[in-house]
C-alpha cells in the first residue's frame, strides 16, 4: 500500500512538473512577443516632409523665444507669480530644447534658433516695459507666442494620425499637448493679474 501511495505521489509530481512551463522559456516567449509588437508599432521614418521640418524649425525658434522672455522676466518682473512661472519656463524650455535637438539629429535636420523679426520685436517691446506694466505685457507676449505656435502644430498635425508611432508623430502630439497646458496655465495667471489690478 505504501509503495502504491509513493508511486502515485511521484507520478503526480512528475505530471505537475511536466505541465509547468519552463520559466526561462516563458520569459523568452514574452520578450519575443514584446519585440514583435514593438516592431509592428514603430514605423521607420528616416525622412520628414517639408512641413514637418518647418515645424521643427518653428518650435526651435519658439523655444528660444520662451527662453529669452523668461530670462527677461527673471530680471524685471515685479510679482512672484511671474517670476515663478518664468523660472519654470526656463527649466522646461532648456529640457525641450535638448529633446528637440536630439529629434532633429534623428532626421538629419539642422535647427536654426535665430529669432525672426516679429519675435525679436516681442523681446524689444517687453524690455521697454517697467514694473506692473512689464508683468501685464509678459503674460500678453507669452500667451500670444504660445497661441501662434499651437496654430503651427495644428496645421502640421492634420497630417499626423493618432496611430502614427514614428518618433516625429509621438513627439509632435506630446509637445502640442504640453504647449496647450502651458498656454492654459498662462491664461489663468494672466486673468488673475488682471483681476487684481
Amino acid at each position: 500500500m505504501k509503495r502504491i501511495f509513493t508511486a502515485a505521489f511521484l507520478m503526480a509530481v512528475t505530471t505537475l512538473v511536466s505541465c509547468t512551463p519552463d520559466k526561462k522559456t516563458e520569459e523568452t516567449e514574452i520578450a519575443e512577443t514584446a519585440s514583435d509588437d514593438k516592431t509592428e508599432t514603430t514605423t521607420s521614418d528616416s525622412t520628414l516632409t517639408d512641413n514637418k521640418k518647418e515645424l521643427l524649425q518653428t518650435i526651435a525658434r519658439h523655444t528660444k523665444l520662451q527662453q529669452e522672455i523668461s530670462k527677461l522676466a527673471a530680471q524685471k518682473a515685479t510679482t512672484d507669480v511671474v517670476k515663478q512661472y518664468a523660472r519654470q519656463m526656463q527649466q522646461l524650455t532648456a529640457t525641450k530644447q535638448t529633446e528637440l535637438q536630439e529629434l532633429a539629429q534623428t532626421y538629419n535636420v539642422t535647427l536654426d534658433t535665430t529669432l525672426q523679426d516679429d519675435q525679436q520685436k516681442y523681446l524689444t517691446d517687453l524690455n521697454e516695459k517697467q514694473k506692473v506694466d512689464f508683468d501685464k505685457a509678459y503674460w500678453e507676449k507669452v500667451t500670444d507666442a504660445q497661441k501662434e505656435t499651437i496654430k503651427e502644430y495644428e496645421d502640421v498635425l492634420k497630417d499626423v494620425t493618432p496611430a502614427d508611432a514614428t518618433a516625429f508623430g509621438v513627439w509632435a502630439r506630446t509637445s502640442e499637448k504640453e504647449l496647450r497646458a502651458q498656454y492654459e496655465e498662462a491664461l489663468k495667471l494672466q486673468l488673475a493679474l488682471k483681476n487684481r489690478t
Side-chain angles (χ1 to χ4, degrees), residues 31-49:
E32 286 172 0
T33 303
S35 176
D36 290 346
D37 290 347
K38 194 172 185 182
T39 305
E40 286 174 18
T41 57
T42 305
T43 308
S44 177
D45 61 336
S46 58
T47 60
L48 292 177
T49 63

Side-chain angles (χ1 to χ4, degrees), residues 12-142:
V13 169
T14 306
T15 305
L16 183 62
V17 169
S18 66
C19 291
T20 305
D22 179 25
K23 188 172 183 177
K24 191 168 187 174
T25 304
E26 191 174 88
E27 288 173 358
T28 305
E29 286 173 6
I30 290 170
E32 286 172 0
T33 303
S35 176
D36 290 346
D37 290 347
K38 194 172 185 182
T39 305
E40 286 174 18
T41 57
T42 305
T43 308
S44 177
D45 61 336
S46 58
T47 60
L48 292 177
T49 63
D50 288 343
N51 282 350
K52 290 177 180 178
K53 287 178 185 176
E54 185 52 40
L55 180 65
L56 290 178
Q57 297 293 357
T58 298
I59 301 308
R61 288 189 295 269
H62 167 77
T63 303
K64 180 68 172 175
L65 176 63
Q66 290 287 356
Q67 286 173 336
E68 296 301 320
I69 288 174
S70 297
K71 283 181 196 172
L72 204 53
Q75 298 166 6
K76 297 187 75 169
T78 58
T79 61
D80 289 338
V81 174
V82 172
K83 287 179 183 177
Q84 184 178 357
Y85 186 83
R87 279 194 300 271
Q88 178 185 331
M89 288 305 292
Q90 279 181 304
Q91 292 171 351
L92 183 65
T93 54
T95 302
K96 293 306 285 179
Q97 194 72 8
T98 301
E99 178 185 302
L100 184 60
Q101 192 64 45
E102 289 171 2
L103 181 69
Q105 286 173 354
T106 301
Y107 294 101
N108 295 318
V109 174
T110 303
L111 296 177
D112 178 10
T113 57
T114 306
L115 297 180
Q116 295 180 332
D117 291 344
D118 58 333
Q119 293 172 320
Q120 195 59 53
K121 187 171 177 0
Y122 268 59
L123 284 175
T124 303
D125 291 348
L126 189 57
N127 194 31
E128 292 171 357
K129 305 291 180 188
Q130 300 297 322
K131 300 189 179 181
V132 177
D133 288 340
F134 176 87
D135 290 7
K136 288 179 185 175
Y138 172 79
W139 291 123
E140 288 172 16
K141 299 299 181 193
V142 165

